[in-house]
């Protein structure tokens, strides 16, 4: 659908109001052992309005963004705000006024791939795996693409039109270890549509070769020894640590709900090697995986330096929390679908690189683990976190040893970060997953490798 | 389900659109096709930090089309019912199918007797929803003064669907349901418990929210867990799994019985049909159309009228959870439902008796773990949990990891409680599993 120009409706917005048109378009192609198990496209498009009245919110949405429905959605959101305001009578102050004028299009400028070209791309990768890696019991190749296009106007004068796409290829392999299945997967891709991320199947051959090599090591792997260990968390784990373990505790709505970070502002929460930033759109001179220039409340997005050399310095805000904290909003209010209200969400959260070389970090460990690939992660208001780890190796006397089977790491983030003694000079960004907090949303996770003490599950 | 009936099909706008799209797919050359049209409305009240803050009304539509031509398949979904958009999608999905590769296992549901299903109301009672939320917030403030209600959502959801396929399977559904989710923690000064979440679904709001599901028990847990201690050392003990947590454990079994691992051959249960895979005291059912389940469903994703089934009968695996494609691909039987709506039979001991039988172990109410290995190995953090020693719940714990193997866990399961929690979407008891590795500080 062609994005509408909502500016004509500005005159209908009362008090404090946001009006948003949004379309999410997705593509899914799945091959499982050479069979096509997914060949699907979907689109979800509509209009929403949100009103604020003395501390009470009203929201309404409709899938048909014609002129009559747009005005009906505005009226219904206003009615909903009044329903609550008439009962709750909070009498709160007006929200901070922000304004922006932004057009950002990260869509491809190349001719769009047809479904056949995408299917052929996945098929070629699948055939490459089948032809070159014989010792597998199963293989899967999945292409996933999501375009999020939004047009936003607000009663305080903001206008934003953005298209933020992401696309990636995920490869999973399984083998057999004495009658027991062993699996491993990895993904590649990121910001952009398939035309820009899937330029050639051969580009992914090295990732597949490395994945297979790791899987063969994992097949012979051992169970990790449970307990508190010295570990090198690889860059991918550094990113998920930044997001899950620290980031969530510093979202201002969770701070207000009593997260452990509530009492830690301007206190030492990490070793001096740790600086952690939620980047809005650009980090270290590069566009981030999920660039946000204007958030869904119409606030120009700012970087938030959460931890500066070990000291907790700031939280992430929407307008309502900014009002409560008497600080400017940071542009962290984001909604996943047209029918979702904006929530405080991270954008691109990363621990900044340090000065150490990864090989020196591994060499410095006498008895521990090098943990490379996370699966999932969860955080808590206490900063106690858990990450699944599907790829890692023992470190014995400074050298990599046997691979380990799937395990889980956990700890209290603000304690673990105080044990950080080395940070690598490289950086890995990923945005393949979704962050869940009532709604799901794409986020960027970035990090170097870090050396720390952490709890390991195992036997 | 209380208001369910299987009546004649009435012609309405949904029916007309579904029939139009199906006709267009066949006219465009599809050998087989299916189409569903769904309209959904949601009215949701939100509490944030113990204050009612948002009333949200959302309306959505969706049309899903599946096409098979020359044994090749494509599917597309969009959320507009405009005929021009449907016409464009018909052309696109046929082109997607043409670009695919043939597979003999692609198929659609056979002809079935047309049926119409109705459950629950169609309109929200906003004043009652508001009153129930206010009553809940007040009750929590009085009964659990150290609880911070971070977020509470109470919604009324109504959906109306029409499904047709070219084999003349034809269903209509109308379902209304209230759903409630609550996230909270206990707080005293600088001390804070881990957050706890729980929820339930109900057709009607006849009872106070505090009386539904496990929410009262979970609030008590959060209140008690403000002051927690680590478990010291590493030992092998019993895991008493609370109903809120049992879904994490059942998830391994149900995922292992579904299409992907069965087709890929990576499921540990791929050759276990008819075999003992759990202790004979354990029976697991899927009951999407049972009166026990308020938040069920009537039609499967493949277009069959859903039926109740038993997955595990006294420890014996009785059914996989295969779709029509998975069944045809593997030469096995199609499941008569989509899974979910799980009901575990009650046991013969009370929860108190189960805890009294534990020498050393943990009462686990939330498992925060990594995705389990295909072979069933798991490890993770025992969140919102308690240490049990000499038959008594000793104290709330933190920073404690548990690990074991799901396959072995269900084989060695030692007790199931008589008490169960009705979540609306599942009915689950407490179960006890021995031999779990537990490691603390």
């Amino acid at each position: 659908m062609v994005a509408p120009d909502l500016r004509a409706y500005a005159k209908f917005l009362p008090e404090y109001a946001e009006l948003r048109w949004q379309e999410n378009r997705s593509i899914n192609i799945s091959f499982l052992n050479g069979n096509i198990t997914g060949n699907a496209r979907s689109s979800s498009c509509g209009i929403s309005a949100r009103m604020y009245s003395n501390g009470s919110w009203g929201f309404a949405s409709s899938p048909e963004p014609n002129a009559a429905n747009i005005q009906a959605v505005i009226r219904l959101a206003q009615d909903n705000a009044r329903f609550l305001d008439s009962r709750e009578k909070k009498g709160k102050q007006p929200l901070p006024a922000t304004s922006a004028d932004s057009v950002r299009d990260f869509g491809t400028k190349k001719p769009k791939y047809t479904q056949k070209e995408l299917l052929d791309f996945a098929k070629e990768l699948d055939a490459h795996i089948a032809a070159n890696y014989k010792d597998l019991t199963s293989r899967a190749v999945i292409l996933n693409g999501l375009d999020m296009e939004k047009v936003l106007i607000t009663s305080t004068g903001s206008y934003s039109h953005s298209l933020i796409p992401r696309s990636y290829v995920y490869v999973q392999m399984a083998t057999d270890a004495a009658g027991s299945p062993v699996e491993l997967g990895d993904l590649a891709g990121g910001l952009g549509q398939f035309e820009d991320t899937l330029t050639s199947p051969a580009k992914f051959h090295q990732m597949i070769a490395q994945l297979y090599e790791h899987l063969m090591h994992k097949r012979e792997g051992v169970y990790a020894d449970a307990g508190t260990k010295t570990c090198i968390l690889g860059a991918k784990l550094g990113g998920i640590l930044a997001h899950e373990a620290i980031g969530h505790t510093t979202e201002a709505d969770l701070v207000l709900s009593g997260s452990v970070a509530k009492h830690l502002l301007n206190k030492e929460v990490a070793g001096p090697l740790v600086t952690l930033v939620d980047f809005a759109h650009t980090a270290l001179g590069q566009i981030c995986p999920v660039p946000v220039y204007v958030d869904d409340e119409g606030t120009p997005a700012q970087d938030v330096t959460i931890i500066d050399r070990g000291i907790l310095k700031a939280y992430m805000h929407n307008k309502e929390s900014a009002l409560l904290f008497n600080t400017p909003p940071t542009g962290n209010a984001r909604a996943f679908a047209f029918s979702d209200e904006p929530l405080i969400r991270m954008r691109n959260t990363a621990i900044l690189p340090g000065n150490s070389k990864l090989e020196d970090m591994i060499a410095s460990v006498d008895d521990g683990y090098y943990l490379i690939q996370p699966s999932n992660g969860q955080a808590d208001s206490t900063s106690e976190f858990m990450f699944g780890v599907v790829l890692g190796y023992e470190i014995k006397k400074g050298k990599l040893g046997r691979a380990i089977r799937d395990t889980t790491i956990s700890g209290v983030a603000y304690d673990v970060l105080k044990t950080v003694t080395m940070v690598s000079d490289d950086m890995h960004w990923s945005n393949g997953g979704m962050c869940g907090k009532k709604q799901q949303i794409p986020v960027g996770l970035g990090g170097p490798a870090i050396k720390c003490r952490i709890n390991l599950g195992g036997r | 389900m209380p208001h369910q009936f299987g009546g004649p099909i009435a012609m309405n706008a949904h029916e007309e659109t579904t029939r139009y799209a199906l006709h267009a797919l066949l006219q465009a050359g599809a050998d087989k096709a299916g189409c569903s049209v769904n309209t959904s409305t949601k009215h949701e009240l939100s509490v944030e930090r113990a204050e009612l803050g948002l009333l949200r009304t959302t309306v959505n539509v969706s049309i899903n089309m599946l096409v098979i031509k020359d044994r090749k398949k494509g599917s597309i979904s969009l959320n507009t019912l405009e005929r021009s958009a449907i016409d464009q999608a018909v052309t696109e999905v046929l082109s997607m199918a043409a670009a695919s590769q043939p597979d003999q296992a692609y198929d659609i549901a056979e002809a079935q007797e047309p049926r119409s299903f109705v459950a629950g109301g169609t309109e929200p009672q906003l004043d009652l929803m508001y009153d129930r939320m206010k009553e809940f917030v007040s009750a929590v403030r009085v009964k659990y003064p150290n609880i911070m209600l971070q977020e509470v959502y109470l919604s009324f959801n109504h959906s109306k669907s029409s499904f047709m396929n070219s084999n003349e399977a034809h269903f209509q559904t109308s379902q209304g349901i209230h759903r409630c989710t609550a996230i909270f923690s206990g707080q005293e000064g600088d001390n804070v418990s881990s957050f706890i979440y729980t929820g339930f679904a109900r057709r009607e709001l006849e009872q106070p929210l505090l009386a539904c599901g496990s929410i009262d028990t979970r609030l008590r847990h959060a209140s008690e867990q403000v002051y927690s201690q680590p478990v010291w050392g590493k030992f092998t003990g019993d895991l008493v799994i609370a109903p809120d947590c049992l879904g994490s454990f059942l998830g391994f079994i149900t995922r292992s019985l579904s299409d992907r691992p069965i087709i890929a051959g990576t499921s540990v249960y791929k050759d276990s049909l008819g075999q003992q895979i759990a202790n004979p005291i354990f029976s697991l059912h899927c009951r999407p159309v049972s009166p026990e389940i308020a938040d069920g469903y009537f039609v499967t994703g493949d277009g069959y009228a859903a039926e109740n089934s038993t997955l595990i009968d006294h420890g014996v695996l009785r059914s996989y959870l295969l779709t029509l494609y998975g069944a045809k691909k593997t030469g096995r039987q199609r499941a008569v439902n989509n899974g979910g709506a799980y009901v575990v039979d009650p046991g013969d001991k009370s929860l108190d008796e189960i805890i009294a039988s534990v020498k050393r172990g943990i009462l686990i109410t939330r498992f925060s773990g990594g995705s389990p290995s295909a072979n069933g190995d798991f490890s993770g953090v025992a969140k919102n949990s308690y240490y049990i020693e000499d038959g008594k719940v000793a104290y709330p714990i933190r920073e404690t990891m548990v690990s074991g193997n799901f396959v072995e866990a269900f084989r060695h399961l030692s007790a199931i409680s008589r008490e169960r929690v009705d979540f609306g979407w599942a009915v689950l008891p407490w179960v006890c599993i021995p031999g779990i590795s537990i490691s603390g500080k």
Side-chain angles (χ1 to χ4, degrees):
Chain A
M1 174 170 278
V2 176
D5 187 350
L6 296 181
R7 283 174 283 202
Y9 297 92
K11 59 178 180 275
F12 299 111
L13 299 183
E15 305 161 26
Y16 176 86
E18 301 146 7
L19 182 66
R20 173 162 45 95
W21 171 91
Q22 183 170 344
E23 182 172 21
N24 288 0
R25 298 178 288 269
S26 65
I27 296 174
N28 174 268
I29 288 172
S30 310
F31 277 73
L32 179 59
N33 292 347
N35 302 300
I36 296 179
T37 54
N39 178 24
R41 288 181 177 237
S42 71
S43 161
S44 177
C45 175
I47 189 90
S48 67
R50 190 171 72 143
M51 309 285 164
Y52 179 84
S53 182
N54 305 313
S56 292
W57 289 97
F59 181 97
S61 69
S62 165
E64 305 281 358
N66 56 48
N69 275 349
I70 292 173
Q71 293 197 41
V73 157
I74 292 170
R75 281 195 301 274
L76 183 53
Q78 196 168 13
D79 289 347
N80 283 347
R82 286 176 179 159
F83 175 93
L84 273 188
D85 185 37
S86 66
R87 288 162 173 77
E88 294 293 300
K89 297 182 175 62
K90 295 178 186 171
K92 290 191 177 174
Q93 296 174 56
L95 295 175
T98 60
S99 66
D101 189 350
S102 171
V103 176
R104 298 283 173 175
D105 179 0
F106 287 90
T108 187
K109 304 297 179 275
K110 300 174 185 171
K112 295 301 292 284
Y113 285 158
T114 63
Q115 193 78 359
K116 182 165 190 336
E117 286 172 312
L118 290 171
L119 283 159
D120 287 347
F121 193 102
K123 188 174 183 177
E124 189 173 333
L125 281 183
D126 180 74
H128 171 78
I129 298 168
N132 291 283
Y133 304 105
K134 301 293 186 190
D135 210 4
L136 298 177
T137 53
S138 83
R139 62 186 192 279
V141 176
I142 296 167
L143 305 187
N144 257 313
L146 172 66
D147 296 350
M148 294 178 73
E149 184 172 6
K150 300 179 179 183
V151 178
L152 174 81
I153 63 165
T154 71
S155 57
T156 60
S158 281
Y159 171 77
S160 171
H161 184 179
S162 62
L163 170 58
I164 312 297
R166 72 172 190 175
S167 55
Y168 56 88
V169 55
Y170 178 72
V171 176
Q172 187 173 44
M173 299 173 174
T175 187
D176 185 84
S180 182
V182 179
E183 293 177 328
L184 193 59
D186 201 0
L187 61 80
L191 175 65
Q193 292 172 315
F194 285 124
E195 293 74 15
D196 297 322
T197 58
L198 303 188
T199 48
S200 152
K203 181 179 153 186
F204 301 97
H205 288 181
Q206 189 183 358
M207 175 191 95
I208 291 168
Q210 287 175 349
L211 184 64
Y212 179 80
E213 187 180 347
H214 283 310
L215 179 66
M216 292 301 110
H217 292 154
K218 186 176 172 180
R219 183 169 66 170
E220 310 300 327
V222 296
Y223 288 104
D225 184 26
T228 305
K229 308 291 176 188
T230 298
C231 293
I232 307 297
L233 303 186
K236 291 179 184 175
L237 279 128
I240 199 169
L241 182 75
H243 173 95
E244 290 287 354
I246 298 295
H248 279 298
T249 69
T250 58
E251 292 167 329
D253 52 343
L254 295 190
V255 174
L256 287 164
S257 294
S259 95
V260 69
K262 185 175 186 175
H263 305 288
L264 296 176
L265 204 60
N266 294 316
K267 292 184 179 170
E268 184 182 335
V269 295
L273 297 177
V274 178
T275 293
L276 192 153
V277 181
D278 182 55
F279 290 102
H281 47 77
T282 308
L284 311 177
Q286 302 288 320
I287 298 293
C288 293
V290 185
V292 176
Y293 290 85
V294 177
D295 77 358
D296 293 332
E297 292 181 338
T299 300
Q302 307 293 322
D303 296 345
V304 181
T305 300
I306 297 167
I307 298 175
D308 185 9
R309 289 164 290 175
I311 309 296
L312 183 67
K313 299 302 285 187
Y315 305 132
M316 291 167 278
H317 290 286
N318 61 9
K319 286 183 174 175
E320 197 170 18
S321 71
L323 180 68
L324 290 166
F325 281 83
N326 193 26
T327 189
T330 51
N332 284 85
R334 303 172 62 206
F336 176 67
F338 75 90
S339 53
D340 288 330
E341 75 277 26
L343 305 175
I344 298 178
R345 309 303 300 261
M346 284 172 264
R347 290 91 41 112
N348 304 278
T349 315
I351 295 173
L352 298 192
N355 298 314
S356 298
K357 297 291 180 196
L358 178 61
E359 52 270 30
D360 295 337
M361 294 168 69
I362 293 170
S364 73
V365 177
D366 187 53
D367 184 11
Y369 294 92
Y370 174 41
L371 307 175
I372 301 171
Q373 178 86 17
S375 54
N376 58 328
Q378 286 183 352
D380 202 321
S381 45
T382 59
S383 93
E384 187 177 17
F385 64 90
M386 174 290 306
F387 309 143
V389 177
V390 292
L391 177 64
Y393 290 86
E394 294 175 326
I395 305 175
K396 299 289 182 190
K397 299 190 185 312
K399 297 197 181 307
L400 292 183
R402 298 170 294 182
I404 57 171
R405 294 293 185 92
D406 293 350
T407 186
T408 303
I409 57 173
S410 70
V412 174
Y414 290 117
D415 293 343
V416 169
L417 288 184
K418 286 177 184 162
T419 71
V420 172
T421 51
M422 299 176 89
V423 178
S424 75
D425 60 0
D426 58 348
M427 175 99 166
H428 173 87
W429 280 104
S430 63
N431 77 334
M434 289 282 195
C435 173
K437 180 181 168 185
K438 192 183 182 199
Q439 312 151 17
Q440 57 177 352
I441 207 153
V443 288
L445 316 176
I450 61 174
K451 180 183 175 184
C452 61
R453 297 275 295 169
I454 207 160
N455 300 328
L456 211 66
R459 290 189 175 176
Chain B
M1 225 174 272
H3 307 292
Q4 173 187 352
F5 68 87
I9 297 287
M11 190 55 118
N12 55 32
H14 273 72
E15 293 295 304
E16 283 178 24
T17 307
T18 313
R19 200 175 293 281
Y20 173 85
L22 184 62
H23 179 72
L25 289 166
L26 294 171
Q27 282 290 106
D31 298 330
K32 297 179 179 182
C35 180
S36 66
V37 172
N38 178 276
T39 304
S40 59
T41 57
K42 176 191 271 193
H43 296 78
E44 181 187 73
L45 277 166
S46 303
V47 163
E48 195 171 355
R49 298 184 296 282
E51 276 190 3
L52 267 158
L54 170 67
L55 172 57
R56 176 167 162 256
T57 306
T58 65
V59 178
N60 207 352
V61 297
S62 66
I63 178 164
N64 304 291
M65 291 182 266
L66 176 152
V67 63
I68 298 171
K69 182 173 171 58
D70 301 329
R71 290 284 175 194
K72 301 175 184 177
K73 189 174 96 169
S75 61
I76 196 163
S77 71
L78 57 160
N79 73 332
T80 175
L81 302 185
E82 284 184 14
R83 296 288 164 96
S84 60
I86 293 173
D87 292 344
Q88 193 178 332
V90 165
T91 305
E92 189 173 356
V93 73
L94 274 151
S95 146
M96 290 166 63
S100 185
Q101 64 186 25
D103 191 328
Q104 297 296 319
Y106 294 144
D107 208 347
I108 60 171
E110 302 89 6
Q112 295 154 81
E113 182 189 352
R115 292 174 74 184
S116 171
F117 303 95
V118 179
T122 57
E123 296 296 328
Q125 295 174 276
L126 273 182
D127 286 320
L128 177 60
M129 288 170 65
Y130 178 85
D131 291 344
R132 286 290 186 219
M133 284 288 254
K134 292 296 279 187
E135 172 189 61
F136 177 68
V137 171
S138 299
V140 170
R141 194 174 289 132
V142 171
K143 190 169 183 182
Y144 301 107
N146 67 348
I147 288 291
M148 165 60 84
L149 289 173
Q150 294 179 20
E151 295 164 38
V152 187
Y153 304 105
L154 176 63
S155 63
F156 175 75
N157 308 267
H158 180 256
S159 66
K160 191 173 171 184
S161 299
S162 165
F163 171 84
M164 292 180 201
N165 75 14
S166 55
N167 283 345
E168 300 191 357
H170 187 183
F171 301 106
Q172 278 181 347
T173 64
S174 170
Q175 287 180 272
I177 188 81
H178 294 92
R179 297 192 180 106
C180 180
T181 304
I183 305 170
F184 44 85
S185 57
Q187 298 176 18
E188 289 180 22
D190 290 355
N191 295 297
V192 57
S193 76
S194 291
F195 69 78
I196 287 182
Y197 54 85
T198 188
F200 55 84
R202 293 290 184 269
R203 292 246 170 263
E204 307 293 342
L205 295 177
E206 293 160 339
Q207 291 183 297
L209 305 184
L210 197 58
C212 298
S214 63
I215 200 160
D216 194 19
T217 305
R218 303 293 281 146
L219 284 160
R220 176 172 58 78
H221 288 163
S223 179
E224 292 169 350
Q225 289 166 5
V226 172
Y227 301 99
S228 58
Q229 304 173 37
V231 170
W232 297 100
K234 190 158 117 178
F235 63 96
T236 300
D238 292 355
L239 211 55
V240 179
I241 304 167
D244 275 277
C245 186
L246 187 57
S248 303
F249 284 70
L250 296 179
F252 171 76
I253 292 183
T254 55
R255 276 192 301 276
S256 299
L257 300 177
S258 63
D259 273 13
R260 186 169 165 172
I262 297 294
I263 294 171
T266 54
S267 169
V268 288
Y269 299 122
K270 65 180 189 291
D271 300 316
S272 300
L273 197 65
Q275 294 182 14
Q276 198 83 34
I277 64 165
N279 187 305
I281 63 174
F282 182 74
S283 293
L284 172 64
H285 314 276
C286 298
R287 291 178 174 160
V289 289
S290 162
E292 294 169 278
I293 298 291
D295 200 0
Y297 55 89
F298 296 110
V299 181
T300 72
D302 287 323
Y304 291 93
E307 299 172 39
N308 297 327
S309 67
T310 295
L311 284 184
I312 298 172
D313 183 15
H314 293 93
V316 176
L317 180 63
R318 293 298 182 199
S319 174
Y320 292 105
L321 281 171
L322 295 173
T323 65
L324 181 60
Y325 176 79
K328 285 185 175 271
K329 199 71 192 169
T330 59
R332 298 168 195 258
Q333 200 158 12
R334 176 185 66 82
V336 297
N337 53 48
N338 287 346
Y342 295 120
V343 176
V344 172
D345 283 349
D348 60 0
K349 291 183 178 169
S350 70
L351 173 60
D352 287 347
E353 288 171 328
I354 291 173
I355 289 172
S357 70
V358 173
K359 178 71 181 159
R360 202 176 179 204
I362 284 176
L363 169 60
I364 183 169
T365 76
R366 179 158 70 97
F367 175 69
S368 177
S371 305
S373 304
N375 70 357
D377 286 342
F378 70 87
S379 63
V381 182
K383 305 288 287 190
N384 312 117
S385 300
Y386 295 85
Y387 178 57
I388 305 173
E389 193 171 69
D390 294 330
K392 289 190 172 52
V393 173
Y395 54 83
I397 58 173
R398 66 171 186 264
E399 296 177 74
T400 302
M401 298 192 80
V402 295
S403 59
N405 180 280
F406 285 121
V407 179
E408 296 304 311
F410 282 99
R411 282 188 191 284
H412 298 134
L413 187 149
S414 60
I416 298 176
S417 70
R418 283 195 292 268
E419 305 95 321
R420 295 186 298 173
V421 171
D422 172 10
F423 293 103
W425 51 74
V427 182
L428 303 173
W430 283 257
V431 305
C432 183
I433 292 172
I436 298 297
S437 297
I438 298 167
S439 61
K441 285 280 187 182

